[in-house]
Amino acid sequence: MKAAVTTENQEVFQHFGKCQTFTLAVIENNQILSKSLLDAQGNGHSALVGLLQAQGVDTLVCGGIGQGAVDALSAAGIQVIRGCQGRVSMILELLAQGLLKDNPSQVCDHHDHDCKEHTC
């Protein structure tokens, strides 16, 4: 598995479409084999899908994300695990152990809230 986690200051960033940095991790046999940082280069929403796809990402872990982005990621073959918060290192360990689950109730609707209320 190649996972991307929305990242800011070593924490899960809570707004996929405004994410500037992703932590990429290769996970096999419940082990994290490698980690690196990917600069989003100022790309937003739809461009981020292509950026992640070009990196070979098959799983995205994030806080808040809109349904349009979820649909675009799914169409690109990228599984989405949303509603997470906390240290990226802890989240990656949970993912490696198969303990991280998607929380579909954590979809952003930017007209109703500011995406800072998400929990994992």
Side-chain angles (χ1 to χ4, degrees):
M1 164 193 320
K2 187 164 189 182
V5 181
T6 56
T7 303
E8 183 177 65
N9 298 322
Q10 300 179 13
E11 299 277 327
V12 176
F13 185 64
Q14 293 300 303
H15 188 143
F16 170 75
K18 293 186 178 182
C19 183
Q20 293 301 303
T21 306
F22 293 91
T23 299
L24 301 180
V26 175
I27 299 171
E28 291 179 16
N29 299 319
N30 300 78
Q31 302 243 2
I32 300 167
L33 301 181
S34 66
K35 288 192 289 187
S36 62
L37 293 178
L38 173 66
D39 184 347
Q41 302 170 0
N43 289 310
H45 291 94
S46 60
L48 291 176
V49 175
L51 178 69
L52 296 177
Q53 192 174 32
Q55 294 294 316
V57 169
D58 55 36
T59 304
L60 169 73
V61 178
C62 62
I65 186 170
Q67 189 59 50
V70 171
D71 294 344
L73 288 158
S74 294
I78 300 173
Q79 173 191 8
V80 178
I81 301 175
R82 60 200 144 181
C84 295
Q85 69 177 11
R87 308 256 329 143
V88 170
S89 58
M90 177 194 70
I91 293 297
L92 285 173
E93 287 296 331
L94 291 171
L95 183 62
Q97 297 303 315
L99 300 174
L100 201 59
K101 305 295 180 206
D102 181 39
N103 183 351
S105 69
Q106 298 299 316
V107 175
C108 282
D109 179 352
H110 305 295
H111 303 288
D112 294 333
H113 69 277
D114 64 7
C115 299
K116 292 181 180 161
E117 302 167 10
H118 301 297
T119 58
C120 194

